[in-house]
Amino acid sequence: MDIAALIAWIITASGGFVLLATWIRSGGHRQPGTSRFPPVLIFGHFALAAIGLVVWIIYVANGSEALAWTAFVLLVPVALLGFTMFARWLPSYRERGTLTGAAKSATATAPAERNFPVAVVGAHGVLAVVTVVLVLLSALGVGVD
């Protein structure tokens, strides 16, 4: 279960990195009035998730129950920040489908998160839920011989 959680977390982090890179490349960190994602939200989510992953890797290496619970506790705000970003991203996604003519040419003022690949957003969210569940089950000792 520990290794499955680690694999899920790494794949989830990879998707998150794609989303973060897309947001930065699209100028999200330079659009405080346009982007629905304040930099503190997106970078806070990234930092807590990265710290949690490092804690989980150390847990897998030495098996300390306290580290498993620490990683899970770190995942709680990560999940809340992720859900907040998803809720803020949905209007951008919906607007993308309704743009026509002149509105499409005005995409320079569009929020950076409008460029997120929908498949990556979906996979990142689903794998994040799987990761949280696997980490919780591992911390509880489920699946340990």
Side-chain angles (χ1 to χ4, degrees):
M1 189 87 55
D2 300 348
I3 300 299
L6 179 61
I7 292 168
W9 203 327
I10 290 171
I11 296 170
T12 303
S14 299
F17 189 73
V18 167
L19 295 172
L20 177 62
T22 301
W23 185 77
I24 291 171
R25 186 174 49 252
S26 300
H29 61 297
R30 289 177 269 150
Q31 305 178 328
T34 306
S35 178
R36 290 184 170 96
F37 295 173
V40 70
L41 175 66
I42 200 162
F43 289 119
H45 177 75
F46 170 75
L48 286 172
I51 292 167
L53 178 57
V54 169
V55 170
W56 190 255
I57 290 168
I58 296 168
Y59 160 72
V60 169
N62 77 8
S64 167
E65 186 178 331
L67 287 174
W69 284 108
T70 301
F72 177 73
V73 167
L74 284 167
L75 275 179
V76 173
V78 169
L80 292 172
L81 292 172
F83 185 76
T84 300
M85 286 190 291
F86 179 71
R88 288 177 173 218
W89 171 78
L90 280 175
S92 292
Y93 171 70
R94 289 184 183 134
E95 289 169 5
R96 178 171 60 183
T98 62
L99 293 178
T100 60
K104 282 188 180 179
S105 66
T107 56
T109 60
E113 54 273 12
R114 189 174 291 162
N115 298 312
F116 287 170
V118 176
V120 177
V121 171
H124 181 70
V126 169
L127 285 167
V129 170
V130 169
T131 300
V132 170
V133 169
L134 289 173
V135 167
L136 176 60
L137 291 175
S138 291
L140 291 170
V142 175
V144 176
D145 295 335

